[in-house]
Amino acid sequence: MIYIDKYAYLSKLKQTNPLKKLVLAILVLGVCLWAESVAVSILTLLIMGWYTVCKGGTPVGIFIRLMLVPLSFLVIGVLTIAVNVSGDKDVFVFSVYAFGMYIGVSQSGILSAANLFFKALGAVSCLYYLSLSTPMVDLLAVLRKLKVPRLMVELMGLIYRFIFVFLETADTMFTAQNSRLGYAGLSSGYRSLAALASSLFIRSYQRADELYIALEARGYDGELSVIHEQAETHWTEYIPIVLINLFLIAVALFSKQLTGGLL
């Protein structure tokens, strides 16, 4: 989380109007989820990756590592879709006989799993593009301009800040335990980890409460006022966004006509 915030501030797209980046991410994400097409999902992944790495300057290694984060959950999810059980062997491309039933993968199961896999990666790439190019302060300012309820925006801001409080508290406790050889052995490591897990919530709650008291002492009235840079933009800058989404929609429609919606 901390590294994502650091790369957002270092991004070459930081000075770009955050509303423009939000519109691009939301529209491409919407088309990717609507299309039900592997080709569109792969194109979404490539386009968002190009914007993040080539235009934003995020190191390609960091982007790949971040894309690998949801991979373990995705693999488990697609396996449950691809693998089916049936009494008819002919419905499977590959199957094994066990307990009086056939367990295997069918052609429709493989296509559904591939569609879900690439759609999830495409959607995640849209969110990574936004988070790696737009600091949270700029994003909250855009949400205020879009008249998102004030309570929701403030909750998002406070939760975002308390995540850092939580991580800092965990890091401090881990460093203190490690300096006392709390993780020197397997048994002591388990004991230290249990102690860290049991007291982390209490310490984080105390620090969050202290932070809230400090905010009230400085005149906090339910809204955090921060200075953000005004980014000038022109409506013509949204033309590439429209063209990208029209291109993805055209690919989705052509793919459905060509393959009957299979790819």
Side-chain angles (χ1 to χ4, degrees), residues 9 19 51 77 91 109 125 134 139 149 152 171 173 181 185 188 191 203 205 211 223 228 241 261:
Y9 277 98
L19 179 60
Y51 266 106
V91 301
S125 69
T134 311
L139 190 59
M152 183 180 296
D171 184 63
M173 293 176 64
L181 302 180
S188 61
R191 284 196 300 271
R203 294 282 183 87
Y205 182 81
L211 179 61
E223 182 176 1
H228 58 88
I241 298 175

Side-chain angles (χ1 to χ4, degrees), residues 9 135-145 153-154 157-158 160-161 215 220-230:
Y9 277 98
M136 193 64 180
V137 175
D138 295 343
L139 190 59
L140 294 177
V142 171
L143 294 179
R144 290 191 185 95
K145 285 183 179 179
V153 176
E154 292 304 318
L158 288 175
Y160 183 73
R161 284 167 175 78
L215 284 173
Y220 176 66
D221 60 349
E223 182 176 1
L224 292 172
S225 300
V226 295
I227 299 175
H228 58 88
E229 300 175 1
Q230 297 291 336

Side-chain angles (χ1 to χ4, degrees), residues 28-84:
V28 175
L29 174 63
V31 174
C32 178
L33 296 178
W34 161 80
E36 295 290 346
S37 167
V38 174
V40 172
S41 300
I42 294 175
L43 284 173
T44 299
L45 178 60
L46 294 176
I47 292 171
M48 290 294 102
W50 180 79
Y51 266 106
T52 306
V53 175
C54 299
K55 297 282 286 185
T58 301
V60 63
I62 296 296
F63 182 73
I64 292 176
R65 283 171 56 189
L66 288 173
M67 290 301 300
L68 292 177
V69 171
L71 203 60
S72 58
F73 302 101
L74 272 177
V75 170
I76 296 174
V78 298
L79 282 179
T80 58
I81 294 177
V83 178
N84 294 302

Side-chain angles (χ1 to χ4, degrees), residues 75-218:
V75 170
I76 296 174
V78 298
L79 282 179
T80 58
I81 294 177
V83 178
N84 294 302
V85 178
S86 175
D88 186 5
K89 183 181 179 181
D90 296 334
V91 301
F92 295 117
V93 177
F94 170 77
S95 65
V96 293
Y97 185 76
F99 305 108
M101 301 290 287
Y102 289 96
I103 303 173
V105 291
S106 62
Q107 184 180 8
S108 61
I110 293 174
L111 293 174
S112 298
N115 188 25
L116 175 65
F117 181 79
F118 287 107
K119 180 184 290 189
L121 287 183
V124 169
S125 69
C126 295
L127 298 179
Y128 276 147
Y129 158 73
L130 186 62
S131 57
L132 287 169
S133 63
T134 311
M136 193 64 180
V137 175
D138 295 343
L139 190 59
L140 294 177
V142 171
L143 294 179
R144 290 191 185 95
K145 285 183 179 179
L146 296 176
K147 306 300 181 185
V148 175
R150 172 182 165 185
L151 178 61
M152 183 180 296
V153 176
E154 292 304 318
L155 279 176
M156 290 174 61
L158 288 175
I159 291 172
Y160 183 73
R161 284 167 175 78
F162 287 154
I163 287 175
F164 288 91
V165 173
F166 182 84
L167 292 177
E168 185 182 351
T169 304
D171 184 63
T172 303
M173 293 176 64
F174 177 80
T175 303
Q177 289 177 327
N178 202 26
S179 64
R180 296 194 294 270
L181 302 180
Y183 295 93
L186 185 62
S187 59
S188 61
Y190 280 124
R191 284 196 300 271
S192 299
L193 185 62
L196 188 149
S198 60
S199 57
L200 181 58
F201 174 75
I202 298 174
R203 294 282 183 87
S204 300
Y205 182 81
Q206 289 174 342
R207 288 210 56 193
D209 193 48
E210 291 170 359
L211 179 61
Y212 183 75
I213 293 174
L215 284 173
E216 284 195 320
R218 289 169 172 80

